[in-house]
Amino acid sequence: MMELNWQVIFEIAITLFLIFDPLGNAAVCLPMLGAFTPKQQRQIMLREVVIALGIILLFTFLGDSLLGLLNIHHSTLRIAGGIILLIISMKMVFPQGNGASSDLEKDPFIVPIAVPLLAGPSLLAAVMLYAARSQESPHGNAELLTAIFLSWLVTSIILLCASSLTKILGQRGLRATERLMGLILIFMAVQMLEDGIRMFIETF
């Protein structure tokens, strides 16, 4: 039995963690949950991260079949994922004033925390892309699933401790960290675009 390649796992996990953007999402989610007690906030956040994980796993296992059904090539997915990731990362680095629903009093069930803040299009495109690549690995989806769980676990811990982090870092600290993550994501997005274009050219 071959051992898992932990270098690959950590590379995927770091990428997914950056796309999850837990610190940036914490700054967005906390105003939405302002009408709830800290205990209720943690319960709601726990429920949403579990729902997001279920959606991510669904796309991990059914993504390749969906691509085949829609006749979408892996190069197309990688280019599209790179474009989406580039847009997301640019918004992280250069945020615009948004009317985050601070006056939202109802329980935000599934939308917008689980989808699209956590299991958003860029993350789903990334896991579908990694799932397609994992078919070439002797471990199949084992490395990808491990990476997904690690990145999701760290993200969940950060979101569940969001109120405490806000007190420690402050809104400025959260925003500064989010912009740093966005800058790193820009590099990854460009690399994803380059890989997609290279795959497309190789099909000729």
Side-chain angles (χ1 to χ4, degrees), residues 91-112:
K91 288 183 178 179
M92 290 170 63
V93 176
F94 306 105
Q96 297 178 348
N98 54 54
S101 1
S102 56
D103 58 345
L104 184 62
E105 296 181 355
K106 293 184 178 180
D107 185 352
F109 182 61
I110 300 181
V111 178

Side-chain angles (χ1 to χ4, degrees), residues 5-20 123 126-127 129-131 133-134 137 140-152 188:
N5 189 332
W6 285 98
Q7 180 179 352
V8 172
I9 290 173
F10 284 125
E11 287 176 359
I12 297 175
I14 290 172
T15 302
L16 296 180
F17 173 77
L18 291 173
I19 301 175
F20 267 124
L123 185 73
V127 295
L129 177 63
Y130 284 126
R133 286 172 52 183
S134 68
S137 170
N141 285 327
E143 292 173 345
L144 175 57
L145 291 175
T146 304
I148 289 174
F149 180 75
L150 286 176
S151 59
W152 172 84
M188 294 181 172

